[in-house]
Amino acid sequence: MTQQMPIKAQGEPTKELQQKAAVDRFNATLHQMQNEIARALPKHMTGDRFVRIVLTEVRKNPTLALCDPLTMFGSLLTAAALGLEPGLNGECWLVPRKNHGTLEAQLQVGYRGVVKLFWQNPAATYLDTGYVCERDEFRFAKGLNPILEHTPAEGDRGKVVRYYAVAGLNTGARVFDVFTPAQIKTLRGGKVGSNGDIPDPEHWMERKTALLQVLKLMPKSTQLAAVPAADGRAHTISDAQQILGGVDTSTGEVLDAGWHQDGPVES
């Protein structure tokens, strides 16, 4: 008996046609929201450029156009509020992911995005991260006389045994912390390495996690408090508005009314 192949109903759109229609709808809606996006961006960025970058990302990954529009535009506005350009130089990415059966656009902040936001603060003077392998020379101590010394080995350095991050301000303050791979894995919710198939031999995602932890120890005006809340999740437009309320759109600096550069002030 010959098995018959299922026949697509006449007029039923193919996946490619569905994606094209979704991209066209997204394109139209994005241009309608261009003024709102421009208002969210820091003053040194333009809405035209941001829209072009987003359209390029959607053309490269049409599945983004099929995501829940509330999460897609919420994540876009969140990226705009932080002054990060999706897909460009690894500042952030829009990632389509299923959540309880709904395809959402999640915002993933990259290492370079965190670094960019840190250096936008006028008090920032020093930033470094690294990974330590078992054949490296490494010494650290905390307390009243902190020490952090790292000399990478030449050739085969062995497996990674530590991650660290250091940040400094123009007040002379420097803060660092050191983490084991197990600690970083826990902080990342069990994730190891980069998301997807992108190779990450320099362990940038783990170093980003270490850096975010160190920035929590800095004065709140340089804490990048919005990034941990924004990273790795889908957003609504109200999420973006909350973040925008805590960001100086002229500089991209995260604001906190309870801290001045000279120290905490009484509320």
Side-chain angles (χ1 to χ4, degrees):
M1 181 176 179
T2 304
Q3 185 177 5
Q4 292 184 344
M5 298 296 292
I7 300 174
K8 184 181 290 293
Q10 187 174 2
E12 182 179 341
T14 64
K15 181 179 179 180
E16 290 75 14
L17 288 176
Q18 288 176 333
Q19 285 186 337
K20 183 181 184 303
V23 169
D24 290 342
R25 288 194 300 270
F26 174 81
N27 190 345
T29 306
L30 182 64
H31 281 93
Q32 291 174 2
M33 294 188 64
Q34 184 166 336
N35 289 338
E36 186 172 352
I37 290 171
R39 286 194 295 270
L41 288 166
K43 291 181 180 178
H44 66 277
M45 298 171 65
T46 67
D48 286 343
R49 173 182 168 83
F50 191 88
V51 165
R52 287 198 303 270
I53 290 171
V54 171
L55 287 175
T56 298
E57 291 303 302
V58 172
R59 291 190 189 102
K60 290 192 297 186
N61 186 1
T63 304
L64 285 169
L66 298 172
C67 291
D68 174 15
L70 289 178
T71 65
M72 183 61 178
F73 288 100
S75 293
L76 278 178
L77 284 172
T78 299
L82 292 172
L84 302 179
E85 297 176 325
L88 189 69
N89 298 323
E91 291 183 8
C92 68
W93 295 271
L94 297 168
V95 183
R97 286 204 176 96
K98 281 284 186 73
N99 182 19
H100 300 292
T102 300
L103 189 62
E104 296 181 338
Q106 295 185 1
L107 178 66
Q108 182 181 349
V109 180
Y111 177 88
R112 291 186 179 182
V114 177
V115 171
K116 175 182 177 178
L117 291 175
F118 176 78
W119 284 115
Q120 282 177 347
N121 190 289
T125 59
Y126 185 83
L127 190 66
D128 189 23
T129 67
Y131 62 95
V132 182
C133 297
E134 56 189 351
R135 296 189 181 93
D136 295 353
E137 294 182 16
F138 183 66
R139 185 167 72 104
F140 79 96
K142 296 184 178 182
L144 295 177
N145 298 297
I147 298 171
L148 181 66
E149 297 177 350
H150 179 208
T151 304
E154 296 183 1
D156 182 6
R157 296 169 57 191
K159 68 178 182 180
V160 177
V161 294
R162 292 286 191 279
Y163 297 96
Y164 64 87
V166 190
L169 299 176
N170 59 9
T171 59
R174 283 196 180 183
V175 177
F176 76 85
D177 208 345
V178 180
F179 306 87
T180 65
Q183 288 174 313
I184 293 294
K185 181 179 178 180
T186 299
L187 289 167
R188 297 189 65 204
K191 296 178 183 177
V192 177
S194 64
N195 292 321
D197 299 325
I198 302 174
D200 187 18
E202 292 298 312
H203 308 282
W204 292 113
M205 298 307 292
E206 284 82 5
R207 291 160 72 174
K208 182 192 83 170
T209 301
L211 177 57
L212 286 173
Q213 295 304 305
V214 165
L215 292 177
K216 291 179 180 179
L217 303 174
M218 303 295 283
K220 290 184 180 179
S221 62
T222 59
Q223 193 181 26
L224 308 181
V227 173
D231 191 22
R233 59 179 288 252
H235 293 271
T236 63
I237 292 176
S238 62
D239 291 334
Q241 290 170 339
Q242 289 178 5
I243 291 175
L244 186 59
V247 176
D248 183 341
T249 55
S250 65
T251 64
E253 179 182 350
V254 177
L255 302 177
D256 187 285
W259 187 277
H260 287 203
Q261 186 172 323
D262 295 332
V265 296
E266 294 181 359
S267 57

PDB file of all heavy atoms in Angstrom, residues 61-85:
ATOM      1  N   ASN A  61      17.731  37.534  11.734  1.00  0.00           N
ATOM      2  CA  ASN A  61      17.015  36.523  12.513  1.00  0.00           C
ATOM      3  C   ASN A  61      15.519  36.844  12.484  1.00  0.00           C
ATOM      4  O   ASN A  61      14.982  37.438  13.419  1.00  0.00           O
ATOM      5  CB  ASN A  61      17.533  36.498  13.953  1.00  0.00           C
ATOM      6  CG  ASN A  61      16.928  35.356  14.760  1.00  0.00           C
ATOM      7  OD1 ASN A  61      16.133  34.567  14.247  1.00  0.00           O
ATOM      8  ND2 ASN A  61      17.293  35.268  16.028  1.00  0.00           N
ATOM      9  N   PRO A  62      14.826  36.458  11.395  1.00  0.00           N
ATOM     10  CA  PRO A  62      13.403  36.811  11.242  1.00  0.00           C
ATOM     11  C   PRO A  62      12.510  36.267  12.347  1.00  0.00           C
ATOM     12  O   PRO A  62      11.388  36.758  12.525  1.00  0.00           O
ATOM     13  CB  PRO A  62      13.036  36.190   9.885  1.00  0.00           C
ATOM     14  CG  PRO A  62      14.328  35.980   9.173  1.00  0.00           C
ATOM     15  CD  PRO A  62      15.344  35.710  10.238  1.00  0.00           C
ATOM     16  N   THR A  63      12.977  35.264  13.085  1.00  0.00           N
ATOM     17  CA  THR A  63      12.174  34.729  14.186  1.00  0.00           C
ATOM     18  C   THR A  63      11.852  35.810  15.211  1.00  0.00           C
ATOM     19  O   THR A  63      10.825  35.745  15.899  1.00  0.00           O
ATOM     20  CB  THR A  63      12.919  33.560  14.863  1.00  0.00           C
ATOM     21  OG1 THR A  63      13.226  32.572  13.880  1.00  0.00           O
ATOM     22  CG2 THR A  63      12.069  32.914  15.949  1.00  0.00           C
ATOM     23  N   LEU A  64      12.707  36.818  15.318  1.00  0.00           N
ATOM     24  CA  LEU A  64      12.447  37.913  16.252  1.00  0.00           C
ATOM     25  C   LEU A  64      11.125  38.609  15.941  1.00  0.00           C
ATOM     26  O   LEU A  64      10.424  39.065  16.845  1.00  0.00           O
ATOM     27  CB  LEU A  64      13.592  38.929  16.208  1.00  0.00           C
ATOM     28  CG  LEU A  64      14.897  38.516  16.888  1.00  0.00           C
ATOM     29  CD1 LEU A  64      16.011  39.485  16.525  1.00  0.00           C
ATOM     30  CD2 LEU A  64      14.708  38.453  18.395  1.00  0.00           C
ATOM     31  N   ALA A  65      10.784  38.691  14.655  1.00  0.00           N
ATOM     32  CA  ALA A  65       9.543  39.362  14.265  1.00  0.00           C
ATOM     33  C   ALA A  65       8.316  38.565  14.678  1.00  0.00           C
ATOM     34  O   ALA A  65       7.208  39.106  14.719  1.00  0.00           O
ATOM     35  CB  ALA A  65       9.529  39.606  12.758  1.00  0.00           C
ATOM     36  N   LEU A  66       8.498  37.274  14.972  1.00  0.00           N
ATOM     37  CA  LEU A  66       7.392  36.424  15.399  1.00  0.00           C
ATOM     38  C   LEU A  66       7.201  36.446  16.912  1.00  0.00           C
ATOM     39  O   LEU A  66       6.255  35.845  17.428  1.00  0.00           O
ATOM     40  CB  LEU A  66       7.627  34.981  14.929  1.00  0.00           C
ATOM     41  CG  LEU A  66       7.706  34.766  13.411  1.00  0.00           C
ATOM     42  CD1 LEU A  66       8.144  33.338  13.105  1.00  0.00           C
ATOM     43  CD2 LEU A  66       6.369  35.069  12.756  1.00  0.00           C
ATOM     44  N   CYS A  67       8.106  37.121  17.627  1.00  0.00           N
ATOM     45  CA  CYS A  67       8.012  37.169  19.086  1.00  0.00           C
ATOM     46  C   CYS A  67       6.826  38.020  19.528  1.00  0.00           C
ATOM     47  O   CYS A  67       6.341  38.882  18.785  1.00  0.00           O
ATOM     48  CB  CYS A  67       9.300  37.745  19.681  1.00  0.00           C
ATOM     49  SG  CYS A  67      10.738  36.671  19.508  1.00  0.00           S
ATOM     50  N   ASP A  68       6.374  37.769  20.736  1.00  0.00           N
ATOM     51  CA  ASP A  68       5.320  38.579  21.338  1.00  0.00           C
ATOM     52  C   ASP A  68       5.707  40.056  21.216  1.00  0.00           C
ATOM     53  O   ASP A  68       6.754  40.466  21.717  1.00  0.00           O
ATOM     54  CB  ASP A  68       5.178  38.182  22.809  1.00  0.00           C
ATOM     55  CG  ASP A  68       4.206  39.067  23.572  1.00  0.00           C
ATOM     56  OD1 ASP A  68       3.427  39.792  22.930  1.00  0.00           O
ATOM     57  OD2 ASP A  68       4.244  39.046  24.814  1.00  0.00           O
ATOM     58  N   PRO A  69       4.900  40.873  20.536  1.00  0.00           N
ATOM     59  CA  PRO A  69       5.282  42.273  20.305  1.00  0.00           C
ATOM     60  C   PRO A  69       5.557  43.052  21.585  1.00  0.00           C
ATOM     61  O   PRO A  69       6.428  43.923  21.605  1.00  0.00           O
ATOM     62  CB  PRO A  69       4.068  42.848  19.559  1.00  0.00           C
ATOM     63  CG  PRO A  69       3.395  41.670  18.943  1.00  0.00           C
ATOM     64  CD  PRO A  69       3.617  40.538  19.890  1.00  0.00           C
ATOM     65  N   LEU A  70       4.830  42.749  22.667  1.00  0.00           N
ATOM     66  CA  LEU A  70       5.063  43.470  23.919  1.00  0.00           C
ATOM     67  C   LEU A  70       6.481  43.240  24.429  1.00  0.00           C
ATOM     68  O   LEU A  70       7.136  44.165  24.923  1.00  0.00           O
ATOM     69  CB  LEU A  70       4.040  43.039  24.974  1.00  0.00           C
ATOM     70  CG  LEU A  70       2.598  43.502  24.753  1.00  0.00           C
ATOM     71  CD1 LEU A  70       1.699  42.951  25.851  1.00  0.00           C
ATOM     72  CD2 LEU A  70       2.521  45.022  24.716  1.00  0.00           C
ATOM     73  N   THR A  71       6.971  41.993  24.305  1.00  0.00           N
ATOM     74  CA  THR A  71       8.327  41.711  24.774  1.00  0.00           C
ATOM     75  C   THR A  71       9.366  42.238  23.789  1.00  0.00           C
ATOM     76  O   THR A  71      10.434  42.694  24.199  1.00  0.00           O
ATOM     77  CB  THR A  71       8.537  40.204  24.987  1.00  0.00           C
ATOM     78  OG1 THR A  71       8.439  39.515  23.722  1.00  0.00           O
ATOM     79  CG2 THR A  71       7.494  39.643  25.932  1.00  0.00           C
ATOM     80  N   MET A  72       9.056  42.187  22.497  1.00  0.00           N
ATOM     81  CA  MET A  72      10.009  42.668  21.500  1.00  0.00           C
ATOM     82  C   MET A  72      10.247  44.165  21.657  1.00  0.00           C
ATOM     83  O   MET A  72      11.393  44.627  21.756  1.00  0.00           O
ATOM     84  CB  MET A  72       9.494  42.355  20.091  1.00  0.00           C
ATOM     85  CG  MET A  72      10.454  42.743  18.980  1.00  0.00           C
ATOM     86  SD  MET A  72      12.033  41.867  19.092  1.00  0.00           S
ATOM     87  CE  MET A  72      12.875  42.503  17.647  1.00  0.00           C
ATOM     88  N   PHE A  73       9.167  44.929  21.715  1.00  0.00           N
ATOM     89  CA  PHE A  73       9.330  46.375  21.812  1.00  0.00           C
ATOM     90  C   PHE A  73       9.711  46.798  23.230  1.00  0.00           C
ATOM     91  O   PHE A  73      10.397  47.803  23.418  1.00  0.00           O
ATOM     92  CB  PHE A  73       8.065  47.081  21.332  1.00  0.00           C
ATOM     93  CG  PHE A  73       7.889  46.996  19.844  1.00  0.00           C
ATOM     94  CD1 PHE A  73       7.024  46.073  19.284  1.00  0.00           C
ATOM     95  CD2 PHE A  73       8.632  47.801  19.001  1.00  0.00           C
ATOM     96  CE1 PHE A  73       6.883  45.970  17.906  1.00  0.00           C
ATOM     97  CE2 PHE A  73       8.500  47.709  17.621  1.00  0.00           C
ATOM     98  CZ  PHE A  73       7.622  46.794  17.071  1.00  0.00           C
ATOM     99  N   GLY A  74       9.301  46.024  24.232  1.00  0.00           N
ATOM    100  CA  GLY A  74       9.752  46.305  25.587  1.00  0.00           C
ATOM    101  C   GLY A  74      11.251  46.122  25.726  1.00  0.00           C
ATOM    102  O   GLY A  74      11.948  46.949  26.329  1.00  0.00           O
ATOM    103  N   SER A  75      11.781  45.040  25.138  1.00  0.00           N
ATOM    104  CA  SER A  75      13.224  44.800  25.196  1.00  0.00           C
ATOM    105  C   SER A  75      13.989  45.830  24.373  1.00  0.00           C
ATOM    106  O   SER A  75      15.078  46.270  24.755  1.00  0.00           O
ATOM    107  CB  SER A  75      13.540  43.380  24.702  1.00  0.00           C
ATOM    108  OG  SER A  75      13.015  42.412  25.596  1.00  0.00           O
ATOM    109  N   LEU A  76      13.406  46.239  23.237  1.00  0.00           N
ATOM    110  CA  LEU A  76      14.043  47.276  22.421  1.00  0.00           C
ATOM    111  C   LEU A  76      14.138  48.596  23.178  1.00  0.00           C
ATOM    112  O   LEU A  76      15.178  49.258  23.185  1.00  0.00           O
ATOM    113  CB  LEU A  76      13.251  47.486  21.129  1.00  0.00           C
ATOM    114  CG  LEU A  76      13.502  46.515  19.986  1.00  0.00           C
ATOM    115  CD1 LEU A  76      12.601  46.851  18.812  1.00  0.00           C
ATOM    116  CD2 LEU A  76      14.959  46.555  19.564  1.00  0.00           C
ATOM    117  N   LEU A  77      13.045  48.987  23.815  1.00  0.00           N
ATOM    118  CA  LEU A  77      13.049  50.244  24.560  1.00  0.00           C
ATOM    119  C   LEU A  77      13.968  50.168  25.775  1.00  0.00           C
ATOM    120  O   LEU A  77      14.578  51.167  26.167  1.00  0.00           O
ATOM    121  CB  LEU A  77      11.628  50.605  24.991  1.00  0.00           C
ATOM    122  CG  LEU A  77      10.727  51.156  23.881  1.00  0.00           C
ATOM    123  CD1 LEU A  77       9.295  51.293  24.368  1.00  0.00           C
ATOM    124  CD2 LEU A  77      11.244  52.512  23.391  1.00  0.00           C
ATOM    125  N   THR A  78      14.080  48.980  26.372  1.00  0.00           N
ATOM    126  CA  THR A  78      15.004  48.811  27.491  1.00  0.00           C
ATOM    127  C   THR A  78      16.442  48.995  27.022  1.00  0.00           C
ATOM    128  O   THR A  78      17.243  49.676  27.671  1.00  0.00           O
ATOM    129  CB  THR A  78      14.823  47.423  28.127  1.00  0.00           C
ATOM    130  OG1 THR A  78      13.488  47.301  28.619  1.00  0.00           O
ATOM    131  CG2 THR A  78      15.797  47.219  29.280  1.00  0.00           C
ATOM    132  N   ALA A  79      16.779  48.379  25.878  1.00  0.00           N
ATOM    133  CA  ALA A  79      18.119  48.565  25.315  1.00  0.00           C
ATOM    134  C   ALA A  79      18.367  50.036  24.998  1.00  0.00           C
ATOM    135  O   ALA A  79      19.448  50.571  25.266  1.00  0.00           O
ATOM    136  CB  ALA A  79      18.279  47.712  24.055  1.00  0.00           C
ATOM    137  N   ALA A  80      17.354  50.697  24.439  1.00  0.00           N
ATOM    138  CA  ALA A  80      17.492  52.118  24.114  1.00  0.00           C
ATOM    139  C   ALA A  80      17.695  52.948  25.374  1.00  0.00           C
ATOM    140  O   ALA A  80      18.528  53.865  25.408  1.00  0.00           O
ATOM    141  CB  ALA A  80      16.255  52.599  23.354  1.00  0.00           C
ATOM    142  N   ALA A  81      16.940  52.632  26.432  1.00  0.00           N
ATOM    143  CA  ALA A  81      17.059  53.379  27.682  1.00  0.00           C
ATOM    144  C   ALA A  81      18.452  53.240  28.285  1.00  0.00           C
ATOM    145  O   ALA A  81      18.970  54.173  28.905  1.00  0.00           O
ATOM    146  CB  ALA A  81      16.004  52.908  28.678  1.00  0.00           C
ATOM    147  N   LEU A  82      19.067  52.076  28.085  1.00  0.00           N
ATOM    148  CA  LEU A  82      20.421  51.860  28.584  1.00  0.00           C
ATOM    149  C   LEU A  82      21.482  52.399  27.625  1.00  0.00           C
ATOM    150  O   LEU A  82      22.664  52.432  27.965  1.00  0.00           O
ATOM    151  CB  LEU A  82      20.660  50.361  28.819  1.00  0.00           C
ATOM    152  CG  LEU A  82      19.868  49.732  29.968  1.00  0.00           C
ATOM    153  CD1 LEU A  82      20.054  48.223  29.971  1.00  0.00           C
ATOM    154  CD2 LEU A  82      20.277  50.323  31.298  1.00  0.00           C
ATOM    155  N   GLY A  83      21.059  52.785  26.413  1.00  0.00           N
ATOM    156  CA  GLY A  83      22.016  53.290  25.431  1.00  0.00           C
ATOM    157  C   GLY A  83      22.837  52.199  24.780  1.00  0.00           C
ATOM    158  O   GLY A  83      23.959  52.436  24.334  1.00  0.00           O
ATOM    159  N   LEU A  84      22.273  50.988  24.686  1.00  0.00           N
ATOM    160  CA  LEU A  84      22.977  49.848  24.098  1.00  0.00           C
ATOM    161  C   LEU A  84      22.371  49.516  22.739  1.00  0.00           C
ATOM    162  O   LEU A  84      21.154  49.506  22.578  1.00  0.00           O
ATOM    163  CB  LEU A  84      22.894  48.631  25.016  1.00  0.00           C
ATOM    164  CG  LEU A  84      23.454  48.818  26.425  1.00  0.00           C
ATOM    165  CD1 LEU A  84      23.282  47.535  27.231  1.00  0.00           C
ATOM    166  CD2 LEU A  84      24.925  49.236  26.385  1.00  0.00           C
ATOM    167  N   GLU A  85      23.233  49.231  21.764  1.00  0.00           N
ATOM    168  CA  GLU A  85      22.789  48.936  20.405  1.00  0.00           C
ATOM    169  C   GLU A  85      22.800  47.425  20.172  1.00  0.00           C
ATOM    170  O   GLU A  85      23.856  46.793  20.268  1.00  0.00           O
ATOM    171  CB  GLU A  85      23.687  49.645  19.397  1.00  0.00           C
ATOM    172  CG  GLU A  85      23.611  51.160  19.514  1.00  0.00           C
ATOM    173  CD  GLU A  85      24.565  51.890  18.594  1.00  0.00           C
ATOM    174  OE1 GLU A  85      25.681  51.380  18.359  1.00  0.00           O
ATOM    175  OE2 GLU A  85      24.200  52.968  18.099  1.00  0.00           O
TER     176      GLU A  85
END
